[in-house]
Amino acid sequence: MGRPREFDIDKAIERATDVFWDHGYEGASLPDLLNGMELTRGSLYKAFTDKRSLFLRVLELYERRTVQSAYDMLIDTTLPDGRKRIQSLFISVYQAVKAGDHRGCLLCSTAAGPSAYDPEISKHTAAGLNLLRTGIVQALKDSPKHCDWDEGKSLRLADHLLTQYVGLRIIARSQVPMGILEHAGEGIAELLD
């Protein structure tokens, strides 16, 4: 009979999320992960097999928490005008950076990085981005200005907004001046109006 696991696996995945978010998949070294997760090499490999398997678990957690939260905000009809919900999504990026969080979005950074060439990682990032796209489409349907648009036109705008969001989340990592992020948010408001 094997020894019982001596650490909380969910806590370890949360800690790994921070490491991958800070360093990216490629940049996160084994020592970074061991230190950040407070695990030994043997414990990490026994619980997660390898770095890639661990990263897939991290993406699953990130999608369940962060991406789902953004989706929920986009479809939340307590704010009846869908345009305002989309604007809130973009404003949240600016507010996070203003508060000192320059990590951007783990999902967006993964989609833009070399790890996206891995079929399983790509599958996860595509699912998360599609969830955001679905939320944007719903928000457009709930927008008085866009509710009468045909499906093709709505999808084109949703895709444009999704690419703007991904770009904004990636550029948030680059320490650009706050004015650029603020102007980007204002540009989205103008686009939606």
Side-chain angles (χ1 to χ4, degrees):
M1 183 162 89
R3 290 177 41 198
R5 190 171 285 135
E6 296 177 6
F7 64 91
D8 182 335
I9 198 156
D10 293 330
K11 190 69 166 167
I13 293 170
E14 287 177 18
R15 289 176 176 154
T17 299
D18 289 333
V19 174
F20 284 123
W21 208 346
D22 289 340
H23 299 286
Y25 175 70
E26 293 79 14
S29 67
L30 182 58
D32 292 332
L33 288 165
L34 295 176
N35 185 48
M37 296 171 70
E38 301 176 8
L39 295 179
T40 65
R41 181 186 301 249
S43 293
L44 185 142
Y45 285 122
K46 185 174 182 181
F48 302 106
T49 310
D50 58 20
K51 178 179 165 180
R52 181 177 172 274
S53 298
L54 172 61
F55 187 64
L56 291 170
R57 296 280 300 270
V58 162
L59 282 177
E60 289 170 5
L61 175 68
Y62 188 82
E63 289 169 15
R64 270 195 327 268
R65 291 187 178 170
T66 307
V67 178
Q68 184 67 46
S69 176
Y71 171 79
D72 291 344
M73 192 257 321
L74 285 165
I75 66 166
D76 183 2
T77 56
T78 57
L79 183 58
D81 187 341
R83 284 179 308 172
K84 301 292 183 195
R85 298 194 304 255
I86 294 169
Q87 289 170 0
S88 293
L89 179 69
F90 282 86
I91 289 168
S92 71
V93 176
Y94 169 76
Q95 289 173 336
V97 174
K98 188 175 180 182
D101 184 352
H102 294 274
R103 297 181 301 173
C105 169
L106 178 62
L107 180 73
C108 297
S109 296
T110 301
S115 60
Y117 291 106
D118 178 290
E120 202 165 350
I121 292 173
S122 178
K123 179 181 164 186
H124 276 278
T125 56
L129 293 173
N130 190 54
L131 184 62
L132 287 173
R133 179 185 191 238
T134 301
I136 293 169
V137 168
Q138 183 58 53
L140 290 172
K141 288 179 183 176
D142 295 338
S143 163
K145 182 167 178 73
H146 305 96
C147 64
D148 294 330
W149 284 15
D150 66 60
E151 184 179 353
K153 191 172 181 180
S154 291
L155 286 175
R156 284 190 297 277
L157 179 56
D159 290 342
H160 180 74
L161 291 166
L162 179 63
T163 59
Q164 292 298 309
Y165 178 75
V166 170
L168 189 62
R169 293 294 297 225
I170 291 169
I171 203 169
R173 291 182 66 93
S174 68
Q175 309 286 328
V176 297
M178 288 299 296
I180 292 174
L181 299 176
E182 190 172 13
H183 290 153
E186 292 167 357
I188 293 301
E190 291 170 4
L191 175 68
L192 290 169
D193 287 337

